[in-house]
Amino acid sequence: MRVFEPAEPDTIRAWRWTERGLYLLDQRLLPRREVYVRCRTWREVRKAIRDMVVRGAPAIGITAAIGLVLGAEGLRARTRRAFLAGLRRIAQGLAKARPTAVNLFWALDRMVRRAENETDAGPGELVEILRREALSIWEEDLAANRRMGRFGADLLPEEGTVLTHCNAGALATGGYGTALGVIRAAVEAGKRLSVLADETRPYLQGARLTAWEMKKVGIPVAVIPDAAAGFLMARGVVRAVIVGADRIAANGDVANKIGTYTLAVLAREHGIPFYVAAPSSTFDLGCPSGGEIPIEERAPEEVHFCVGKRITPAGTNAVNPAFDLTPASLITALVTERGVIKPPYAENIPLVLSGEAQTP
Ligand code: MRU
C-alpha cells in the first residue's frame, strides 16, 4: 500500500495519508481517545475541517491540499481543460471550510496554480503532480517549523516558565509546531523551560492538546484557567509568552485564537516579551492591517456546552468569536522560518520574507 508522508515525519502527526484515504486524528476526542477519522472525498475533508477534527492554521492548509488531491482523484475528466475546471470548483468548495486561517487559501491557490502551470500534463499525470505538491506543502511546513524553532529558541530565557495559548504544536501543523516548536527547540538546546498552557475556552485546545503534546515530548506543563494569566504574570511566574497565528497582516497585526489579545495586553503591562511564531504561509501581505482579516464566529453551542454538558441556563445567549486581533504594537517579535522579524513590521516583514534581510 502506498503511504504518503515526509521522509522524517514528527513523532506526533495530525494525520496519516495512504492510497486508501486520509486518516485524521480526531482532535475533538483528545486526550481521552486516539481515534482516526477516515476521509475519502473532498467533501468529507471539508466537513472534518469545519467540525475541528483537524485544526490549526498550517494543518488546515495541508489537509485542504490533500482534500484537493482526493477530489482530483474522483474527477472523471477526459481533457486537461475539464480537469482544471473541476479542480477549481473543488478548491472553491474547500475554501469555504473556515474563513480566518490564510494557510487554507494559500495552500489551495498553490495547488491549483501548480496544475495550471503543467501545460503538457493530462488528467492522470496531473493527479500524481498534485499528490507530490500536497506532500511538498506538508514537508516544507515541517522543515519550516524546525528552522523557526532554531531561530526562536534564542529568544527564550535559559530557564523559567513560558506561557502559551491554544495549541500551536505538531497537531496544528505539518509537525513539530510553531510556538510549541520554538519551546521544543529551546529545550533540545539545553534550556530548562516549563510551559503554562492556557486552557483556551471554549474548545480547550490548551488543556487537551497542548498539555497532551508536551507530555508526549517530555516537557513539564501546567494547565491554567485562561483567567489566571494576569495574576501569574503579576507574581513574576511568566518569563515570556509565545503563541501561533492564523493570519498576519502586512503591518504585523496578528489574528489568533480568542484570548491572544488579552495576553498581549497583559504581557505589555507586566513588561514580559510577547512572541508570535508562524511560517511565511501565514502572512497575508494583501491584508494591510488586522481590520481586514475575517474573524470566524462559531456556533453559540460551543460556549453553552462544556465536554458534552450544558453549562448555561436554557434561553441564555452566547457570543463565540473564534479569533481575535493583536495589534502589531504589542508584539515583541515575529518568528518565521526565514528569520526573526522585529518592528517596524511594515518595513521588516517584506525584507525578511523575501530573504533580503537576515535575522538580526
Ligand atoms: O480554532 P483553531 O483551533 O483552528 O485555532 C488555532 C489557533 O488559533 C492556532 O494558534 C493557530 O492556528 C496557529 S497553529 C500553528
Side-chain angles (χ1 to χ4, degrees):
M1 186 177 51
R2 286 176 81 190
V3 177
F4 312 108
E5 63 179 11
E8 288 174 50
D10 191 41
T11 43
I12 302 170
R13 263 177 283 174
W15 54 81
R16 287 174 203 282
W17 179 23
T18 78
E19 62 188 7
R20 298 184 57 203
L22 178 63
Y23 295 80
L24 296 166
L25 179 56
D26 193 339
Q27 298 191 29
R28 299 166 306 181
L29 303 180
L30 287 173
R32 281 182 302 143
R33 291 168 60 206
E34 291 182 30
V35 175
Y36 283 81
V37 174
R38 181 177 174 192
C39 297
R40 277 171 293 181
T41 67
W42 72 266
R43 283 196 172 80
E44 286 173 349
V45 170
R46 178 173 66 182
K47 185 168 176 353
I49 296 173
R50 264 190 195 147
D51 295 350
M52 312 259 288
V53 173
V54 62
R55 29 65 51 202
I60 291 172
I62 297 163
T63 306
I66 299 172
L68 193 56
V69 176
L70 299 187
E73 284 167 352
L75 285 173
R76 298 277 163 264
R78 265 182 282 171
T79 64
R80 192 189 127 72
R81 202 183 142 96
F83 180 91
L84 288 177
L87 193 72
R88 288 189 199 104
R89 239 188 352 263
I90 297 168
Q92 280 164 10
L94 280 162
K96 295 198 179 108
R98 290 186 75 188
T100 305
V102 76
N103 307 62
L104 170 68
F105 314 105
W106 170 86
L108 291 169
D109 280 354
R110 174 169 158 174
M111 293 286 286
V112 171
R113 249 184 299 116
R114 182 78 174 86
E116 285 169 349
N117 290 341
E118 286 295 330
T119 44
D120 295 332
E125 285 163 284
L126 282 174
V127 170
E128 195 50 46
I129 288 166
L130 287 169
R131 200 175 280 131
R132 281 203 302 273
E133 191 69 9
L135 190 52
S136 298
I137 291 175
W138 179 0
E139 274 179 326
E140 286 168 25
D141 188 69
L142 176 58
N145 290 341
R146 289 185 171 136
R147 258 179 86 76
M148 192 187 308
R150 287 194 288 275
F151 285 129
D154 289 342
L155 300 172
L156 296 184
E158 281 305 315
E159 59 184 333
T161 300
V162 176
L163 174 64
T164 190
H165 190 65
C166 192
N167 170 265
L171 291 168
T173 63
Y176 202 68
T178 55
L180 295 188
V182 169
I183 294 171
R184 278 171 74 170
V187 170
E188 283 160 22
K191 295 193 171 183
R192 295 173 302 284
L193 299 177
S194 64
V195 172
L196 279 184
D198 262 1
E199 62 177 349
T200 321
R201 270 280 290 158
Y203 231 79
L204 303 176
Q205 289 96 331
R208 298 186 301 103
L209 310 177
T210 294
W212 182 81
E213 278 197 31
M214 291 296 91
K215 280 203 80 178
K216 285 241 175 211
V217 297
I219 297 178
V221 60
V223 175
I224 59 166
D226 297 326
F231 173 72
L232 294 171
M233 286 187 193
R235 281 267 160 114
V237 173
V238 178
R239 299 285 309 276
V241 180
I242 187 159
V243 298
D246 286 82
R247 198 185 293 218
I248 303 177
N251 71 345
D253 290 350
V254 166
N256 191 48
K257 179 54 54 196
I258 191 78
T260 303
Y261 170 52
T262 318
L263 285 182
V265 173
L266 284 169
R268 171 61 53 88
E269 170 70 16
H270 294 95
I272 297 166
F274 184 90
Y275 301 114
V276 176
S280 47
S281 55
T282 299
F283 286 75
D284 183 357
L285 301 188
C287 251
S289 70
E292 287 79 37
I293 300 177
I295 298 295
E296 179 179 11
E297 178 86 29
R298 291 188 65 87
E301 283 68 32
E302 291 178 359
V303 177
H304 288 310
F305 288 82
C306 190
V307 252
K309 293 231 163 37
R310 175 128 198 167
I311 55 167
T312 55
T316 318
N317 290 329
V319 182
N320 189 16
F323 301 98
D324 62 23
L325 293 164
T326 299
S329 58
L330 295 177
I331 299 166
T332 312
L334 301 167
V335 186
T336 78
E337 80 278 23
R338 311 240 168 108
V340 173
I341 312 178
K342 299 228 171 109
Y345 292 116
E347 278 167 43
N348 290 343
I349 287 172
L351 290 179
V352 174
L353 292 189
S354 67
E356 278 175 52
Q358 289 297 308
T359 177

